[in-house]
Amino acid sequence: TQLLEQSPQFLSIQEGENLTVYCNSSSVFSSLQWYRQEPGEGPVLLVTVVTGGEVKKLKRLTFQFGDARKDSSLHITAAQPGDTGLYLCAGLTGANSKLTFGKGITLSVRP
Amino acid sequence: NAGVTQTPKFQVLKTGQSMTLQCAQDMNHNSMYWYRQDPGMGLRLIYYSASEGTTDKGEVPNGYNVSRLNKREFSLRLESAAPSQTSVYFCASSGLAAAYEQYFGPGTRLTVT
């Protein structure tokens, strides 16, 4: 069973602060995805990273895939209350169409 | 396009009752999934269907059955509900993109008393 460990589990910060959260595994993934989930809704895909070392930017969010394709990080610059939510990472092994999800990081950005 | 739709949005059952959760997608996706989400447990895969006509067990299949009715629809059935099945259930679909990026429905909040 491939496990994805996300850290920290909970994060509460002030608007304007920067933060970095992590998604780690001992397994190699062919791709890794990040989703954001708001209360009462389903997860929404933010980004997919495929190549080791790849960096993708989505406005103030920067995603990086580790060189060995076992881990990923999400950096948010100047966090805003609209960034509040549950951030999930999910890895694909390539063996089938199933994703392995981490347990998520609950982010709260205070105005 | 509606994307992925789920019905019902909320449901309360008594122990032992049965019900079917419905899911439909209009994106012509081949693969469909059912997950449950519980506090502190993340998303856990119950069953999935890689293509029309096939279904496979996921991580937590006990107590559930599924039917891939056609390419659009994938239903989840609880034959005899138990309090341990109180959860939020999400249906998702993905196309043939290499990364199998998933599109989720809004969820069904199920309480079993």
Side-chain angles (χ1 to χ4, degrees):
Chain A
T1 302
Q2 296 90 18
L3 291 177
L4 276 168
E5 301 287 340
Q6 293 191 248
S7 61
Q9 269 190 292
F10 302 96
L11 190 56
S12 180
I13 61 171
Q14 201 71 34
E15 181 176 2
E17 291 184 14
N18 301 331
L19 66 117
T20 302
V21 295
Y22 302 92
C23 174
N24 296 304
S25 176
S26 58
S27 301
V28 176
F29 293 99
S30 56
S31 66
L32 198 138
Q33 301 165 22
W34 284 90
Y35 294 79
R36 180 167 66 208
Q37 184 179 18
E38 299 189 14
E41 299 181 8
V44 176
L45 179 69
L46 294 174
V47 76
T48 301
V49 285
V50 178
T51 306
E54 182 177 5
V55 175
K56 280 193 174 178
K57 293 192 175 185
L58 185 65
K59 297 182 180 178
R60 294 175 293 99
L61 279 61
T62 301
F63 303 85
Q64 183 161 9
F65 202 11
D67 291 339
R69 291 186 288 131
K70 292 182 179 181
D71 53 77
S72 180
S73 63
L74 160 59
H75 180 81
I76 301 179
T77 302
Q80 298 179 1
D83 296 326
T84 292
L86 177 68
Y87 288 81
L88 296 158
C89 65
L92 183 71
T93 60
N96 50 45
S97 60
K98 295 189 296 183
L99 291 177
T100 298
F101 278 86
K103 293 183 179 181
I105 295 163
T106 299
L107 172 65
S108 173
V109 182
R110 304 184 303 274
Chain B
N1 285 354
V4 179
T5 57
Q6 291 183 237
T7 56
K9 197 162 178 65
F10 300 95
Q11 184 72 50
V12 178
L13 291 178
K14 294 185 177 179
T15 298
Q17 288 185 320
S18 62
M19 78 161 296
T20 300
L21 281 64
Q22 306 287 353
C23 173
Q25 52 92 8
D26 61 3
M27 295 174 283
N28 201 35
H29 284 168
N30 286 314
S31 301
M32 297 185 74
Y33 312 81
W34 276 105
Y35 294 91
R36 60 177 290 172
Q37 187 174 41
D38 303 289
M41 300 297 290
L43 281 166
R44 293 185 291 170
L45 183 65
I46 304 171
Y47 271 93
Y48 70 106
S49 171
S51 61
E52 186 179 356
T54 68
T55 60
D56 285 288
K57 296 178 180 179
E59 182 184 354
V60 289
N62 291 345
Y64 305 95
N65 284 301
V66 290
S67 294
R68 183 74 183 267
L69 304 170
N70 47 54
K71 191 171 186 178
R72 290 187 64 249
E73 299 172 288
F74 189 38
S75 63
L76 178 72
R77 183 160 178 83
L78 287 69
E79 291 289 352
S80 179
S84 61
Q85 294 178 305
T86 292
S87 187
V88 181
Y89 291 85
F90 289 100
C91 177
S93 70
S94 68
L96 283 176
Y100 290 99
E101 296 160 343
Q102 298 194 1
Y103 295 82
F104 285 82
T108 294
R109 282 144 188 82
L110 175 67
T111 302
V112 183
T113 62

